Amino acid sequence: ERDLLTVGEALVSLRSSGPLAAGGPLTMHLAGAESNVAIGLARLGHRAAWAGRVSDDELGEFVLRQLRAEGVDTTDVRRDPQRPPGVMFLERRTADVSRVRYLRAGSAGAALDVDDLRAPLAAGARLLHLSGITPALSDSARTAVAWAVRTAAESGIPVSLDVNYRAGLWSREDARATLTPLAGYAAVVIASTDELDLVTEAGADERDAAADLVRRGVSTVLVKLGADGARAWTADGVEHVPAVPVTAVDTVGAGDAFTAGYLSGHLDGLGLTDRLRRAAALGAFAVAGHGDWEGLPRRDELSLITGSAAG
Ligand code: KDG
């Protein structure tokens, strides 16, 4: 059985080391919040599958080859001969400021629909991971995510939902209307502090938002605090984990790494404290290296970053 099934859009990310308007070399990478999580888990030895649509061209082939090279199961990926790849530019505008520009409207990945998900859901998994990016991509993707969440809940597959609000894709009002009901089906909800009001009607106060989610059946609410670590809210109370101090060179992908570490700990049967420590360790690996996922550890590397005793 698969440990993790995740679904979303994988993107071709073109990274610049300076302002895009000035041109200059771009390097090509695989990006995508859910595929980042799948890679994080596969690196740690879990059986992780990613499902979605890719373009039926060289760029779709690039996406698949990257995932396969990382040991991610791509059996259920569909190739769409009609639609282009989803592309993003990641522009390093200054040393501290990066900007994202998407060319993904009408992409293969955005055309995801329920039929794409029947086989992977039927195959089963110990966890289903989704992000709030996918339902922002199209009506059919929104329907597909809602269907997957309900189907998983009915089959007893715990769902984790990372809010991952992307202002370039939809308004906060639309995100809230879609994500608040979905969150009620999730076992784990992951959000940064400024995303909590998108999964509850209880407002932006962290304690109130977490309490509302727990009341609605969510087991664990993970609130990401960046350099301050994270807090986990459960029916038993709240627990804080500090970030592991490292020299940060690139924070993109840190949230996905955090999620992968947490879910890895869950799959390994660790208690909450050790799950959080593994999450913090993976977040540290992600920020300490360039790229969304390239710096993530194999299992034997977990102890390279101090504080990550959760190996
Ligand atoms: O979490 C990192 C992602 O933001 C990046 O890989 C691209 O999935 C992506 C998105 O839609 O922004």
Side-chain angles (χ1 to χ4, degrees):
E1 194 193 11
R2 289 166 169 174
D3 292 322
L4 175 99
L5 170 65
T6 185
V7 172
E9 180 174 27
L11 298 163
V12 173
S13 166
L14 301 174
R15 286 177 165 246
S16 77
S17 52
L20 272 181
L26 298 169
T27 52
M28 187 159 118
H29 304 264
L30 170 69
E34 304 82 5
S35 49
N36 291 344
V37 171
I39 290 171
L41 284 156
R43 286 250 176 123
L44 293 175
H46 301 285
R47 284 159 305 197
W50 178 83
R53 276 198 210 188
V54 301
S55 54
D56 194 13
D57 61 3
E58 294 75 10
L59 296 181
E61 186 63 21
F62 168 75
V63 166
L64 286 174
R65 288 171 67 119
Q66 294 285 305
L67 289 169
R68 289 189 193 126
E70 292 298 330
V72 174
D73 181 345
T74 57
T75 313
D76 293 306
V77 176
R78 286 208 183 166
R79 290 169 183 257
D80 187 328
Q82 255 94 50
R83 294 182 178 81
V87 176
M88 64 179 260
F89 289 91
L90 187 65
E91 171 189 36
R92 185 163 277 236
R93 186 63 187 78
T94 72
D96 297 320
V97 179
S98 291
R99 291 195 294 204
V100 169
R101 178 164 152 60
Y102 297 123
L103 298 179
R104 70 197 297 187
S107 67
L112 182 82
D113 71 19
V114 171
D115 285 337
D116 297 333
L117 302 186
R118 291 188 201 280
L121 259 295
R126 292 174 62 199
L127 288 172
L128 173 67
H129 175 70
L130 298 163
S131 91
I133 298 171
T134 315
L137 299 178
S138 69
D139 290 346
S140 70
R142 182 159 59 245
T143 306
V145 167
W147 178 85
V149 164
R150 282 197 308 272
T151 304
E154 282 161 14
S155 347
I157 302 174
V159 173
S160 83
L161 175 69
D162 186 351
V163 177
N164 259 334
Y165 176 65
R166 295 288 180 267
L169 297 178
W170 56 350
S171 69
R172 295 189 76 87
E173 291 67 33
D174 288 347
R176 184 177 303 114
T178 295
L179 298 178
T180 296
L182 287 185
Y185 289 93
V188 181
V189 170
I190 304 146
S192 41
T193 31
D194 60 353
E195 292 174 336
L196 282 167
D197 68 311
L198 303 179
V199 278
T200 156
E201 305 289 346
D205 177 76
E206 184 178 326
R207 177 179 299 273
D208 294 347
D212 177 59
L213 287 162
V214 169
R215 189 184 53 72
R216 286 159 62 208
V218 177
S219 308
T220 312
V221 181
L222 296 174
V223 182
K224 295 178 289 184
L225 307 169
D228 292 329
R231 268 190 292 270
W233 297 81
T234 67
D236 297 331
V238 61
E239 186 163 330
H240 175 255
V241 63
V244 181
V246 289
T247 305
V249 301
D250 177 5
T251 57
V252 180
D256 304 328
F258 179 88
T259 297
Y262 182 85
L263 296 179
S264 165
H266 173 99
L267 289 164
D268 284 351
L270 302 183
L272 181 62
T273 306
D274 286 335
R275 278 182 249 161
L276 292 172
R277 289 171 74 189
R278 189 174 291 176
L282 256 73
F285 274 99
V287 303
H290 289 284
D292 279 25
W293 50 266
E294 284 84 339
L296 296 183
R298 295 188 311 269
R299 192 168 282 255
D300 62 325
E301 294 174 321
L302 269 177
S303 58
L304 279 179
I305 284 187
T306 358
S308 64

